[in-house]
Structures are given as C-alpha cells and as structure tokens.
Amino acid sequence: MTYFRAVDPFPLESADHTKLHEFYSHLASGRLVTTRCLDCRTTAWPPRGFCGECTSDRFEWVDLPGEGTIHAFTVQETGLPAGFDGRRVFAIVKVDVHRVFAVLVDADPLQLRIGQRVRLAPLRVADDPKGNARWLPAFTPT
Amino acid sequence: MRGVALVGAGVSKFGVRKASYRDLIWEAGKVCFDSIPGVKPKDVEGLVVGSVMPERTAFQSHISSLAAEALGIKPSALSARTEHMCASGTVGIRYAYAFIAAGLADLVMVLGVEKLNQPTGEEAILNMSAGVDREWEAAFGLTAPPCFALAAQRHMAEFGTTEEQLALVGVKNHNHAAKNPNAHFSKGATLDQVLGSRMIATPLRLFMCSPITDGAAAVILASEDRARELTDKPVWIRGTGQALDGFQLTSLHEDYAHWPALKRAARTAYAMAGVGPHEVDVAEVHDCFAIAELIAYEELGFCHKGEAGPFAAAGRSDYGGDVVVNPRGGLIGCGHPLGATGVAQAAEIFVQLRDAAGGRQAPGAAIGLTHNNSGMGEHVVMIYGRERA
Ligand SMILES: [Zn+2]
C-alpha cells in the first residue's frame, strides 16, 4: 500500500447527504437562498434545520438578493491547505441584513475596498464521488 | 467549594519534532512528575487529556486511556479527553478544577498533546481546516490566518492600529522565546525581520503568526489539603471564566475588532478571583496571531479599547511595563501545538508564581492570568495566585 490521503474538503450536497440540498440546487441555478422558520419567521444565514430561537424544525426557502457589499476582506497569499491555491480573497459580504462568508473570484486585490458592491458568482468545485456537480457561494465585483 | 492548586508542571520541547505522539506524552509526563517528587503515577486519581486532531495526525482515538497507560496512571476518579480546538488544554484544566473543587478527586493530571507536523506542510494546514466549519468555511480553503487577518483589518480601520504595532508583538514574543529552551523558535527577531517576513494573509506576516508545532505539556492539580502536603509553593486557581459568542465567522460580533466573549469570560474570572486587571503581574495570552494579543490587552482590561497598539509600542506589556505578557514566548514564539497550548500556559504561570522562571522571571509575580481561545468568539480565562485568596 502506498501513502495516500483520504479526505474531501467539500460538503456532500445531494439529497442523499444533507437536509439542505435545496440550497445547493438553487445555487447551481444562480440563486442564493436560505431558510425562514415557519413558526417564528426568523430568517437565518446560513440555512438551518433547527431554529435556535423557537426550536421549530419547519422551514421554507426564501431568496436573498444576488448582490451585496464587502464588509471585510483579506488576501491570503501563502499557507493555504492542500488542494487550494493562493492568492485567495476571503470576504465577509453583507447581503441584505445577513453577513455571508465567501471567496471573491475574478477580483484584483489591489482594487478591492470595504463597502464595494459585489454580485453572486457561484463557484463550481470538484464533483462529489458519484460525479454530481458541486457548488459553493462566491462573489465577484460588479 | 474546596481550594485547588497546581502542584506540578512540565513541558516538552516544542517544535518540528522527530517524535511520535506517544513520545511527546512521555516527555511532558516525565518533566511534570520530576517537578513534584512526592507524586508518582500510582498516586494520580484522574487524567484529562486535551488533544484536538490525533485522528488525523496520528490516526488515533481513545486518547486519555492511551496517555494514562503511557504514563503508568490508573485513573480511579476521572478519565476524559477534551477537544475544544485551540482552547482544549485550558478546558481540560477547568474540568479537573471542578472535579477536585467538588470533592470527586484529590489529585488529577491534565496533559495536552498534539503532533501537527506531517510529511507535507500543506497537509498539516489542510488538517487545521478541520477547526472551522466544514460546509460553510473550510470548503472555501479557510484556516485560522484569514480569520484573524479580518480582525486585524477591522482594528486597523477603526483604531488606526499599524503594521508596525502588530510587528512589535512578533518582536517581543520571538525575543521572549529566545530565553525559553522549550520554544519552537530560539533566534529572536528584529522589527525589520518581522516586517520583512513573507505575507500570509494581509496584513499578517509570517513572524506575526504562530507556526505549526508538535509538543506536549502537563500539570498536576491537587485539592487544598493535598496541595499543602505536597509542596510549600502551591499555585492556587483563583478564578476561571468561559464564554462563547458563536462558532462560524458570521455568528460573531459584527465587528471583529471587538471580542465581547473574551470580556465576559474575563469578568467572570476576575470576579471569582477578587482581583482586577491592573493587579495581574504576568499573563499568558493567546497570541495565535499578533492581532489576537492586541485585542486581548483591550478585552482583558490591561488598556482601553482601541489603545492596544500604542500600549504594545510603549513596552507596557513587556518586562518593566504594566504586565509581562507571554514571557515564555507565546504561541508566536513557542509554537501552537493546539491541545498542549493551554496547559503550557498554565505551566508557565506555575513557574512564574513560584519565582522559578529563571531568565524569564517577571519580578515579584503574585497574580498570573492565562487566556486561551478557540476562535475569535470563544474564550477561556484562568487567574492564578501565589496566595490562596
Ligand atoms: Zn423559529
């Protein structure tokens, strides 16, 4: 047996694996959605399967705006995990009243500033072990 | 509650070690037992082991039993592992403290151990990504440096904190580490070296960051009566506090320059100890990154909010200042073997309050503090005293 690494850094996004699969299927079609509690009407980010406010487990999916503003960002140049390359721009994006953690793609780090507008640009990552496409939320400057 | 004291402590050499997980346990256990000749493994009633990711780095679970056997301890009152990312060691000390204070044990060892270095550096960093949320953070390639870089960006924008002030924390802690034979780094550093080191995540450069380190540390806690039998110089646990704001970055206080959970944990610990921030002589704070040490000064009450940069630059957190912070070199200089860090902080306060820290001694230290965190929103504070109360 040769040395090997057995780890998958991405979520398993399909209905076989997560109650939140609709988040990812909507994301694949370019929509950013999250959960709203059917009992207390709290809208959460990220989406949840249990309401920490009222203990409900009944939710509906609601759309978030496809645009937001940069709240904070940093550019990681070195020291990234295996499988990830620098430069990588990590940001907190204000979307409506929510703060969304994501990467910024197609962004020149020198041109970025806090308060700048960005739009959703879903990022396709490695397929899952069964060959299903996987997506993560990402943003790009407008 | 009964009084509880540290009666023994020891730390392995920290660094990129040619040593197995078990070797590190043996090394820390040996120096800890050597520090308190009246205690043998058969006397120890309980063992708590802080260790974060041996499942990935040593392919090993079942850690507390492994460590007990390695050290010849046969627990009769308590055996457990604590995992709370970077704060695992101090969380373990709190468990042992509570057990002894409640009368369920008289003598408990807390050991922290981590073997983080792997055949390739990028795999070691990949493992570290297990400490942030897999689905919503780690999947993006997030590890700790960019999180704390975001806090630095906010602190600089809000309070005018400078890269030079951040760098001075790196200079201080690297220079402190040069006096600590167990530290990862031994050469010290100049301001130019820190400011010239490679960029990790803006504005944090390499010498403003803790490295990937292997190491272990152990302390022995005793009930009041047992402590007085064993030593003339017990180091008393005077107060403890823990508070959490949240786990994911987007659950924390909106402005990462503010760490309200640390303020709450500190308030609890100070109240319990009956001391205030200006009575602390020596502090081990969680400088995983230079910005964390600066924000800790503020939230622990060593200086006012927003004034940590000038406080550091004026030398007020160094020998001759208001409080000696991170005399052993901190996480930046000693390294950060996750589960071992909180225990090593306690071990440093143990020698400092016994006036046994040699060239690192904070003169006349009577009150010591440790601060261990596991992210910007999760904090643990311990206060120790030379006197019982
Ligand atoms: Zn609800």
Side-chain angles (χ1 to χ4, degrees), chain A residues 37-42 51 53-56 59:
Chain A
C37 175
L38 284 172
D39 289 294
C40 76
R41 311 302 291 172
T42 301
C51 180
E53 301 294 327
C54 78
T55 75
S56 174
F59 296 89

Side-chain angles (χ1 to χ4, degrees), chain B:
Chain B
M1 290 198 300
R2 304 197 295 173
V4 181
L6 300 179
V7 296
V11 180
S12 81
K13 168 74 180 144
F14 279 18
V16 181
R17 294 293 315 278
K18 290 175 176 146
S20 72
Y21 189 74
R22 198 186 325 255
D23 290 342
L24 296 168
I25 293 169
W26 279 329
E27 286 182 31
K30 168 69 178 160
V31 284
C32 183
F33 279 115
D34 285 354
S35 75
I36 179 78
V39 175
K40 296 299 172 210
K42 65 174 171 46
D43 303 320
V44 177
E45 300 164 332
L47 177 67
V48 181
V49 181
S51 198
V52 174
M53 51 183 68
E55 285 81 356
R56 282 211 52 81
T57 60
F59 205 171
Q60 181 71 64
S61 298
H62 210 166
I63 295 308
S64 58
S65 302
L66 179 153
E69 187 162 278
L71 296 177
I73 295 168
K74 290 189 163 40
S76 56
L78 170 63
S79 174
R81 169 183 169 192
T82 55
E83 192 283 292
H84 206 290
M85 200 54 196
C86 312
S88 300
T90 308
V91 170
I93 290 172
R94 282 167 56 84
Y95 280 180
Y97 166 76
F99 241 72
I100 295 170
L104 296 173
D106 285 314
L107 200 63
V108 177
M109 173 180 277
V110 181
L111 182 137
V113 54
E114 216 76 52
K115 170 70 189 173
L116 290 180
N117 283 282
Q118 297 292 298
T120 69
E122 61 171 13
E123 182 168 359
I125 293 168
L126 181 69
N127 291 341
M128 295 290 281
S129 77
V132 296
D133 191 287
R134 170 59 45 201
E135 291 177 294
W136 301 103
E137 296 175 338
F140 296 86
L142 185 73
T143 52
C147 298
F148 287 85
L150 290 169
Q153 296 285 1
R154 293 298 311 182
H155 208 274
M156 293 167 85
E158 192 168 341
F159 301 117
T161 303
T162 65
E163 288 183 39
E164 182 169 316
Q165 289 164 345
L166 288 166
L168 286 169
V169 174
V171 171
K172 172 177 72 70
N173 292 351
H174 272 277
N175 287 342
H176 287 184
K179 293 184 189 165
N180 178 357
N182 290 322
H184 188 132
F185 296 117
S186 58
K187 294 179 179 164
T190 65
L191 183 60
D192 284 348
Q193 281 177 306
V194 177
L195 286 171
S197 61
R198 76 178 151 89
M199 184 61 77
I200 302 296
T202 53
L204 300 175
R205 294 177 181 276
L206 184 66
F207 279 30
M208 304 174 192
C209 303
S210 53
I212 303 276
T213 300
D214 310 325
V219 293
I220 296 174
L221 284 70
S223 60
E224 181 160 3
D225 291 349
R226 195 82 169 86
R228 293 195 196 281
E229 285 168 21
L230 287 167
T231 176
D232 298 337
K233 290 184 172 179
V235 170
W236 300 97
I237 294 178
R238 295 276 300 268
T240 175
Q242 180 176 25
L244 281 70
D245 275 336
F247 168 52
Q248 294 173 359
L249 275 175
T250 53
S251 308
L252 308 183
H253 188 284
E254 182 174 41
D255 186 342
Y256 299 151
H258 296 260
W259 293 359
L262 175 51
K263 195 185 287 283
R264 294 201 305 277
R267 193 184 302 140
T268 305
Y270 285 133
M272 186 173 167
V275 302
H278 301 295
E279 293 167 76
V280 176
D281 301 303
V282 58
E284 285 284 318
V285 311
H286 194 99
D287 60 323
C288 49
F289 301 93
I291 185 62
E293 179 163 326
L294 292 184
I295 295 176
Y297 297 162
E298 298 169 358
E299 306 298 6
L300 289 168
F302 297 160
C303 66
H304 291 118
K305 190 69 209 170
E307 294 177 2
F311 184 82
R316 293 176 63 186
S317 53
D318 207 342
Y319 295 93
D322 300 19
V323 52
V324 180
V325 177
N326 287 331
R328 76 189 172 102
L331 285 60
I332 289 174
C334 280
H336 182 23
L338 312 178
T341 284
V343 183
Q345 291 177 324
E348 180 68 14
I349 296 299
F350 180 73
V351 294
Q352 290 283 347
L353 298 194
R354 286 159 67 105
D355 203 18
R360 308 194 301 277
Q361 183 64 45
I367 298 288
L369 177 151
T370 68
H371 158 236
N372 202 187
N373 74 40
S374 33
M376 297 186 284
E378 306 159 66
H379 299 270
V380 195
V381 175
M382 302 287 299
I383 295 172
Y384 297 90
R386 192 178 273 196
E387 304 300 331
R388 164 83 175 82

